[in-house]
Amino acid sequence: MSFLVRQSIPTDVSAIMRLIHELALFEKAPNEVIATEETLLKYGFGENPLFISWVAEMQGNVVGMALCYIRYSTWKGPVLYLEDLVVTENARGMGIGKALFEQCIDYAKTQNYSRMIWQV
């Protein structure tokens, strides 16, 4: 089955929130999520966005997402930090996670960031 990776838009927020909750359940921390759709809209799609995100779509449904933000290293300059990469369970094993990860790398390269960081 084919999929499409694209930059997220405001109408993706509820799907992104669903994936965030799925990750929190996996991490056994479902009550730790305090972000809301409203805060995602404000801080990701407002006047001065604090993060950038991409989604993976299959048959019109969002099945994965990657969310990044910019950090600054005093030695290296701007750095792209990958906060979360999530693929819904039934869409795993199709290369979606790899495609989202590579999208983040490509973005870091086009922005001339010194590196990308992801802690797992």
Side-chain angles (χ1 to χ4, degrees):
M1 201 173 270
S2 65
F3 61 88
L4 166 74
V5 172
R6 60 171 175 78
Q7 190 168 342
S8 60
I9 56 176
T11 55
D12 295 321
V13 165
S14 49
I16 292 170
M17 200 73 231
R18 177 181 45 78
L19 289 163
I20 290 169
H21 283 288
E22 186 173 332
L23 177 61
L25 278 173
F26 175 79
E27 294 289 341
K28 296 177 179 51
N31 297 324
E32 297 295 318
V33 178
I34 61 170
T36 64
E37 290 184 24
E38 291 77 22
T39 58
L40 286 176
L41 279 169
K42 178 180 179 180
Y43 294 110
F45 302 95
E47 191 172 313
N48 296 306
L50 297 179
F51 66 84
I52 184 167
S53 57
W54 295 271
V55 294
E57 257 185 353
M58 278 179 37
Q59 298 177 326
N61 296 313
V62 172
V63 295
M65 71 93 174
L67 189 144
C68 301
Y69 58 91
I70 302 162
R71 291 174 52 180
Y72 191 82
S73 165
T74 56
W75 289 16
K76 304 292 182 183
V79 173
L80 187 67
Y81 186 86
L82 175 55
E83 176 69 18
D84 284 321
L85 190 152
V86 185
V87 177
T88 195
E89 190 171 359
N90 64 354
R92 293 180 189 156
M94 300 178 196
I96 294 170
K98 180 181 180 192
L100 285 163
F101 189 76
E102 288 175 350
Q103 176 62 54
C104 297
I105 293 170
D106 290 345
Y107 179 77
K109 286 179 181 177
T110 63
Q111 299 301 307
N112 293 315
Y113 296 149
S114 61
R115 62 184 175 208
M116 186 176 93
I117 299 172
W118 185 29
Q119 286 183 272
V120 181

PDB file of all heavy atoms in Angstrom, residues 5-6 12 22 24 32-34 38 53 56 59 61 63 72 74 84 96 115:
ATOM      1  N   VAL A   5       4.126  11.419   2.329  1.00  0.00           N
ATOM      2  CA  VAL A   5       4.623  12.236   3.433  1.00  0.00           C
ATOM      3  C   VAL A   5       4.547  13.686   2.993  1.00  0.00           C
ATOM      4  O   VAL A   5       5.009  14.029   1.905  1.00  0.00           O
ATOM      5  CB  VAL A   5       6.076  11.857   3.817  1.00  0.00           C
ATOM      6  CG1 VAL A   5       6.643  12.843   4.825  1.00  0.00           C
ATOM      7  CG2 VAL A   5       6.118  10.442   4.368  1.00  0.00           C
ATOM      8  N   ARG A   6       3.947  14.504   3.836  1.00  0.00           N
ATOM      9  CA  ARG A   6       3.799  15.926   3.519  1.00  0.00           C
ATOM     10  C   ARG A   6       3.873  16.743   4.796  1.00  0.00           C
ATOM     11  O   ARG A   6       3.699  16.223   5.899  1.00  0.00           O
ATOM     12  CB  ARG A   6       2.477  16.190   2.809  1.00  0.00           C
ATOM     13  CG  ARG A   6       1.267  15.805   3.647  1.00  0.00           C
ATOM     14  CD  ARG A   6      -0.040  16.269   3.009  1.00  0.00           C
ATOM     15  NE  ARG A   6      -1.186  15.790   3.752  1.00  0.00           N
ATOM     16  CZ  ARG A   6      -1.637  16.311   4.888  1.00  0.00           C
ATOM     17  NH1 ARG A   6      -1.002  17.333   5.450  1.00  0.00           N
ATOM     18  NH2 ARG A   6      -2.703  15.811   5.495  1.00  0.00           N
ATOM     19  N   ASP A  12      -4.731  18.870  10.230  1.00  0.00           N
ATOM     20  CA  ASP A  12      -4.144  17.604  10.672  1.00  0.00           C
ATOM     21  C   ASP A  12      -4.036  17.498  12.194  1.00  0.00           C
ATOM     22  O   ASP A  12      -3.683  16.441  12.716  1.00  0.00           O
ATOM     23  CB  ASP A  12      -2.729  17.423  10.093  1.00  0.00           C
ATOM     24  CG  ASP A  12      -2.719  17.286   8.591  1.00  0.00           C
ATOM     25  OD1 ASP A  12      -3.624  16.631   8.052  1.00  0.00           O
ATOM     26  OD2 ASP A  12      -1.790  17.840   7.963  1.00  0.00           O
ATOM     27  N   GLU A  22      -1.537   7.933  21.233  1.00  0.00           N
ATOM     28  CA  GLU A  22      -1.139   6.544  20.988  1.00  0.00           C
ATOM     29  C   GLU A  22       0.278   6.302  21.508  1.00  0.00           C
ATOM     30  O   GLU A  22       0.561   5.270  22.127  1.00  0.00           O
ATOM     31  CB  GLU A  22      -1.243   6.217  19.496  1.00  0.00           C
ATOM     32  CG  GLU A  22      -0.999   4.763  19.179  1.00  0.00           C
ATOM     33  CD  GLU A  22      -1.259   4.399  17.717  1.00  0.00           C
ATOM     34  OE1 GLU A  22      -2.094   5.055  17.051  1.00  0.00           O
ATOM     35  OE2 GLU A  22      -0.622   3.444  17.246  1.00  0.00           O
ATOM     36  N   ALA A  24       1.758   8.006  23.927  1.00  0.00           N
ATOM     37  CA  ALA A  24       1.706   8.079  25.384  1.00  0.00           C
ATOM     38  C   ALA A  24       1.206   6.761  25.978  1.00  0.00           C
ATOM     39  O   ALA A  24       1.717   6.310  27.008  1.00  0.00           O
ATOM     40  CB  ALA A  24       0.816   9.235  25.825  1.00  0.00           C
ATOM     41  N   GLU A  32       0.083  11.803  31.114  1.00  0.00           N
ATOM     42  CA  GLU A  32       1.139  12.817  31.066  1.00  0.00           C
ATOM     43  C   GLU A  32       0.910  13.850  29.961  1.00  0.00           C
ATOM     44  O   GLU A  32       1.513  14.920  29.982  1.00  0.00           O
ATOM     45  CB  GLU A  32       2.500  12.159  30.879  1.00  0.00           C
ATOM     46  CG  GLU A  32       2.904  11.245  32.018  1.00  0.00           C
ATOM     47  CD  GLU A  32       3.104  11.977  33.329  1.00  0.00           C
ATOM     48  OE1 GLU A  32       3.701  13.073  33.322  1.00  0.00           O
ATOM     49  OE2 GLU A  32       2.642  11.453  34.360  1.00  0.00           O
ATOM     50  N   VAL A  33       0.082  13.545  28.990  1.00  0.00           N
ATOM     51  CA  VAL A  33      -0.156  14.468  27.871  1.00  0.00           C
ATOM     52  C   VAL A  33      -1.075  15.586  28.340  1.00  0.00           C
ATOM     53  O   VAL A  33      -2.229  15.341  28.688  1.00  0.00           O
ATOM     54  CB  VAL A  33      -0.788  13.740  26.661  1.00  0.00           C
ATOM     55  CG1 VAL A  33      -1.071  14.736  25.536  1.00  0.00           C
ATOM     56  CG2 VAL A  33       0.116  12.624  26.171  1.00  0.00           C
ATOM     57  N   ILE A  34      -0.529  16.813  28.339  1.00  0.00           N
ATOM     58  CA  ILE A  34      -1.361  17.966  28.686  1.00  0.00           C
ATOM     59  C   ILE A  34      -1.569  18.888  27.482  1.00  0.00           C
ATOM     60  O   ILE A  34      -2.406  19.776  27.532  1.00  0.00           O
ATOM     61  CB  ILE A  34      -0.799  18.757  29.890  1.00  0.00           C
ATOM     62  CG1 ILE A  34       0.600  19.297  29.583  1.00  0.00           C
ATOM     63  CG2 ILE A  34      -0.792  17.887  31.136  1.00  0.00           C
ATOM     64  CD1 ILE A  34       1.121  20.272  30.611  1.00  0.00           C
ATOM     65  N   GLU A  38      -5.764  22.754  20.693  1.00  0.00           N
ATOM     66  CA  GLU A  38      -5.638  24.218  20.694  1.00  0.00           C
ATOM     67  C   GLU A  38      -4.182  24.651  20.847  1.00  0.00           C
ATOM     68  O   GLU A  38      -3.727  25.567  20.159  1.00  0.00           O
ATOM     69  CB  GLU A  38      -6.499  24.834  21.805  1.00  0.00           C
ATOM     70  CG  GLU A  38      -7.985  24.718  21.579  1.00  0.00           C
ATOM     71  CD  GLU A  38      -8.559  23.316  21.859  1.00  0.00           C
ATOM     72  OE1 GLU A  38      -7.938  22.524  22.618  1.00  0.00           O
ATOM     73  OE2 GLU A  38      -9.631  22.999  21.295  1.00  0.00           O
ATOM     74  N   SER A  53       6.110  20.074  11.581  1.00  0.00           N
ATOM     75  CA  SER A  53       5.746  18.661  11.596  1.00  0.00           C
ATOM     76  C   SER A  53       5.351  18.187  10.209  1.00  0.00           C
ATOM     77  O   SER A  53       4.989  18.984   9.339  1.00  0.00           O
ATOM     78  CB  SER A  53       4.610  18.409  12.589  1.00  0.00           C
ATOM     79  OG  SER A  53       3.480  19.199  12.287  1.00  0.00           O
ATOM     80  N   ALA A  56       2.255  11.369   7.550  1.00  0.00           N
ATOM     81  CA  ALA A  56       2.207  10.345   6.506  1.00  0.00           C
ATOM     82  C   ALA A  56       0.740   9.978   6.334  1.00  0.00           C
ATOM     83  O   ALA A  56       0.031   9.750   7.313  1.00  0.00           O
ATOM     84  CB  ALA A  56       3.018   9.124   6.908  1.00  0.00           C
ATOM     85  N   GLN A  59      -4.403   6.488   1.915  1.00  0.00           N
ATOM     86  CA  GLN A  59      -5.805   6.517   1.537  1.00  0.00           C
ATOM     87  C   GLN A  59      -6.558   7.644   2.239  1.00  0.00           C
ATOM     88  O   GLN A  59      -7.676   7.476   2.713  1.00  0.00           O
ATOM     89  CB  GLN A  59      -6.473   5.173   1.815  1.00  0.00           C
ATOM     90  CG  GLN A  59      -5.850   4.043   1.022  1.00  0.00           C
ATOM     91  CD  GLN A  59      -6.462   2.699   1.347  1.00  0.00           C
ATOM     92  OE1 GLN A  59      -6.863   2.433   2.478  1.00  0.00           O
ATOM     93  NE2 GLN A  59      -6.531   1.838   0.339  1.00  0.00           N
ATOM     94  N   ASN A  61      -5.948   9.013   5.108  1.00  0.00           N
ATOM     95  CA  ASN A  61      -5.891   8.966   6.570  1.00  0.00           C
ATOM     96  C   ASN A  61      -4.466   9.188   7.057  1.00  0.00           C
ATOM     97  O   ASN A  61      -3.530   8.588   6.529  1.00  0.00           O
ATOM     98  CB  ASN A  61      -6.379   7.614   7.092  1.00  0.00           C
ATOM     99  CG  ASN A  61      -7.831   7.373   6.763  1.00  0.00           C
ATOM    100  OD1 ASN A  61      -8.672   8.230   6.965  1.00  0.00           O
ATOM    101  ND2 ASN A  61      -8.122   6.200   6.233  1.00  0.00           N
ATOM    102  N   VAL A  63      -1.509   8.405   9.209  1.00  0.00           N
ATOM    103  CA  VAL A  63      -1.079   7.187   9.910  1.00  0.00           C
ATOM    104  C   VAL A  63       0.279   7.355  10.592  1.00  0.00           C
ATOM    105  O   VAL A  63       0.767   6.431  11.238  1.00  0.00           O
ATOM    106  CB  VAL A  63      -1.041   5.974   8.954  1.00  0.00           C
ATOM    107  CG1 VAL A  63      -2.430   5.635   8.453  1.00  0.00           C
ATOM    108  CG2 VAL A  63      -0.077   6.207   7.799  1.00  0.00           C
ATOM    109  N   TYR A  72      19.573  25.451  19.563  1.00  0.00           N
ATOM    110  CA  TYR A  72      20.799  26.141  19.194  1.00  0.00           C
ATOM    111  C   TYR A  72      21.960  25.626  20.025  1.00  0.00           C
ATOM    112  O   TYR A  72      21.907  25.583  21.250  1.00  0.00           O
ATOM    113  CB  TYR A  72      20.655  27.653  19.390  1.00  0.00           C
ATOM    114  CG  TYR A  72      21.812  28.391  18.775  1.00  0.00           C
ATOM    115  CD1 TYR A  72      21.821  28.674  17.421  1.00  0.00           C
ATOM    116  CD2 TYR A  72      22.913  28.753  19.535  1.00  0.00           C
ATOM    117  CE1 TYR A  72      22.901  29.314  16.833  1.00  0.00           C
ATOM    118  CE2 TYR A  72      23.995  29.390  18.951  1.00  0.00           C
ATOM    119  CZ  TYR A  72      23.987  29.664  17.608  1.00  0.00           C
ATOM    120  OH  TYR A  72      25.049  30.294  17.032  1.00  0.00           O
ATOM    121  N   THR A  74      25.833  26.239  21.060  1.00  0.00           N
ATOM    122  CA  THR A  74      26.816  27.318  21.059  1.00  0.00           C
ATOM    123  C   THR A  74      28.050  26.966  20.248  1.00  0.00           C
ATOM    124  O   THR A  74      28.740  27.853  19.748  1.00  0.00           O
ATOM    125  CB  THR A  74      27.240  27.686  22.499  1.00  0.00           C
ATOM    126  OG1 THR A  74      27.726  26.523  23.152  1.00  0.00           O
ATOM    127  CG2 THR A  74      26.076  28.288  23.256  1.00  0.00           C
ATOM    128  N   ASP A  84       9.291  13.781  18.357  1.00  0.00           N
ATOM    129  CA  ASP A  84       8.541  12.523  18.276  1.00  0.00           C
ATOM    130  C   ASP A  84       8.374  12.080  16.841  1.00  0.00           C
ATOM    131  O   ASP A  84       8.168  12.904  15.936  1.00  0.00           O
ATOM    132  CB  ASP A  84       7.142  12.673  18.893  1.00  0.00           C
ATOM    133  CG  ASP A  84       7.161  12.684  20.398  1.00  0.00           C
ATOM    134  OD1 ASP A  84       7.950  11.915  20.985  1.00  0.00           O
ATOM    135  OD2 ASP A  84       6.389  13.448  21.000  1.00  0.00           O
ATOM    136  N   ILE A  96       7.083   3.742   6.522  1.00  0.00           N
ATOM    137  CA  ILE A  96       6.556   5.080   6.823  1.00  0.00           C
ATOM    138  C   ILE A  96       7.463   5.801   7.818  1.00  0.00           C
ATOM    139  O   ILE A  96       7.788   6.983   7.628  1.00  0.00           O
ATOM    140  CB  ILE A  96       5.108   4.979   7.347  1.00  0.00           C
ATOM    141  CG1 ILE A  96       4.203   4.453   6.226  1.00  0.00           C
ATOM    142  CG2 ILE A  96       4.619   6.321   7.865  1.00  0.00           C
ATOM    143  CD1 ILE A  96       2.807   4.069   6.667  1.00  0.00           C
ATOM    144  N   ARG A 115      23.221  19.724  12.433  1.00  0.00           N
ATOM    145  CA  ARG A 115      22.920  18.321  12.672  1.00  0.00           C
ATOM    146  C   ARG A 115      21.445  18.159  13.062  1.00  0.00           C
ATOM    147  O   ARG A 115      20.742  19.146  13.277  1.00  0.00           O
ATOM    148  CB  ARG A 115      23.812  17.745  13.762  1.00  0.00           C
ATOM    149  CG  ARG A 115      23.627  18.418  15.095  1.00  0.00           C
ATOM    150  CD  ARG A 115      24.602  17.893  16.120  1.00  0.00           C
ATOM    151  NE  ARG A 115      24.444  18.673  17.340  1.00  0.00           N
ATOM    152  CZ  ARG A 115      25.375  18.885  18.213  1.00  0.00           C
ATOM    153  NH1 ARG A 115      26.570  18.381  18.013  1.00  0.00           N
ATOM    154  NH2 ARG A 115      25.153  19.561  19.287  1.00  0.00           N
TER     155      ARG A 115
END
